[in-house]
Amino acid sequence: MNLYANDLILFAHIVDAGSFTRASDLTGLPKSTLSRRLAELENVFGERLMQRSTRRLVLTEFGERMLEYARRLVDDTEAATALALHRQVTPQGILRVSFPPEYHELSLVQILSTFSRRHPDVRLDIDLSSRRVDLVAERFDVAVRVAAQLPDDNALVARRIITLHNGLYASPAYLARHGTPQNPPQLQSHTGLVLVTSAGDQQIWRLSRSNTEHWEGLPLHMLSANSVGLQQALAVQGLGIVGLSESFARPHVERGELLRVLPQWHLPQMNVWCVTPGRKLLPQRTLAFIDTLKEVLG
């Protein structure tokens, strides 16, 4: 029996309207279509649902019993529609987000606390990992990534949230002990707090000034780690020179814990990206999270 729920719903609308004419106004379907769909439904059942006349519609005994199920479908459909509309307006459900492990620099605690206060019906599932997750296969809603550029991927949509401007910093105590470098080559005689890449290599310092002068290299003495947050903490303690984004270093500079080293020279800019699966319609919880990212990081 090939039974279609939509035909039962139309049957309920015809009965409640009291005529094919009013049912046509209610559903937006021509009377001929409603009559044909009802006849097809009766053919599927093998019984008449109602007796038709020019003045009235009279339900058969079978039609009265089937009307209970038809009206239940109408109620369930309206409830499903209300739920969908509510979800479009009110963010809710589970939101899976992938962050790089350097959550300190990305103000992750502030992002999550701000979002959770505003949207208590959303349950956050956070993954902190240096690996590049597969958003589609692993069913992540959002991935936050830090990179100058992202590889092309037709299955994903990348939105640039902010650009990080980076430089070198050291504590006043370190500079008092070891002196302040006046040019990039002098960095080689200092201790560098150097970031380790995901491939296990030390990240070379590439400095530029006015886009015309460039220098790259590494200090002879290095304390390397794969955590910007750790390197920043070590720099505050006077253990070396570190590369940080200006936004991340600013609070420490304002408190007098760090000073800019070679302020005319800059490390390469990095972008913070918000990556989502390439779907046309994003859930409200995802859109709300992107808005919170822009607000906090911007």
Side-chain angles (χ1 to χ4, degrees), residues 28-294:
L29 296 174
K31 290 188 293 183
S32 58
T33 300
L34 293 175
S35 180
R36 175 178 55 78
R37 295 276 291 273
L38 182 62
E40 291 173 353
L41 184 61
E42 290 176 328
N43 287 334
V44 170
F45 287 138
E47 291 193 47
R48 297 294 294 269
L49 292 167
M50 60 175 62
Q51 301 293 339
R52 306 158 180 80
S53 70
T54 56
R55 294 188 176 183
R56 56 185 302 198
L57 302 175
V58 179
L59 287 176
T60 64
E61 183 270 339
F62 176 69
E64 289 180 352
R65 296 180 60 184
M66 193 56 65
L67 182 60
E68 297 178 18
Y69 298 100
R71 282 177 171 160
R72 200 174 302 166
L73 282 174
V74 172
D75 292 340
D76 289 343
T77 301
E78 291 176 350
T81 302
L83 174 61
L85 292 174
H86 180 65
R87 287 172 67 88
Q88 290 175 15
V89 175
T90 305
Q92 57 185 271
I94 300 174
L95 184 71
R96 298 198 69 207
V97 185
S98 172
F99 269 93
E102 291 309 324
Y103 61 88
H104 292 89
E105 188 158 6
L106 291 175
S107 306
L108 180 56
V109 173
Q110 184 180 354
I111 292 169
L112 298 184
S113 60
T114 300
F115 181 82
S116 295
R117 283 195 304 269
R118 292 176 179 173
H119 309 291
D121 293 333
V122 178
R123 196 184 87 193
L124 289 167
D125 184 352
I126 305 299
D127 174 83
L128 294 177
S129 176
S130 58
R131 70 185 181 90
R132 189 175 292 268
V133 301
D134 187 328
L135 272 74
V136 177
E138 300 179 56
R139 300 185 68 181
F140 277 93
D141 298 289
V142 180
V144 179
R145 294 172 178 167
V146 181
Q149 293 292 332
L150 293 178
D152 291 334
D153 191 332
N154 293 332
L156 303 176
V157 175
R159 299 167 177 82
R160 186 172 62 187
I161 304 299
I162 59 168
T163 297
L164 300 176
H165 302 275
N166 304 305
L168 295 175
Y169 296 84
S171 72
Y174 174 87
L175 297 176
R177 290 196 308 270
H178 301 281
T180 301
Q182 301 302 309
N183 53 64
Q186 291 183 6
L187 291 170
Q188 293 180 317
S189 62
H190 284 264
T191 299
L193 304 175
V194 178
L195 189 66
V196 175
T197 68
S198 58
D201 302 320
Q202 280 80 20
Q203 191 173 80
I204 295 175
W205 286 351
R206 292 182 170 87
L207 297 173
S208 61
R209 180 171 64 177
S210 303
N211 293 324
T212 57
E213 299 178 74
H214 305 276
W215 179 89
E216 66 177 49
L218 285 172
L220 296 177
H221 308 286
M222 289 187 293
L223 197 165
S224 56
N226 64 349
S227 169
V228 174
L230 174 61
Q231 300 290 50
Q232 169 265 318
L234 295 176
V236 169
Q237 295 301 314
L239 295 183
I241 301 175
V242 67
L244 299 173
S245 71
E246 293 177 358
S247 58
F248 189 37
R250 186 177 299 115
H252 304 286
V253 173
E254 292 174 349
R255 291 193 295 266
E257 297 171 342
L258 293 175
L259 295 173
R260 182 71 180 262
V261 175
L262 299 174
Q264 301 303 316
W265 293 82
H266 304 273
L267 291 168
Q269 295 179 355
M270 301 294 281
N271 295 311
V272 177
W273 304 89
C274 179
V275 184
T276 58
R279 297 182 296 232
K280 292 184 178 180
L281 294 176
L282 292 176
Q284 279 298 316
R285 59 181 179 270
T286 300
L287 297 174
F289 191 80
I290 294 173
D291 289 341
T292 303
L293 278 176
K294 292 178 179 178

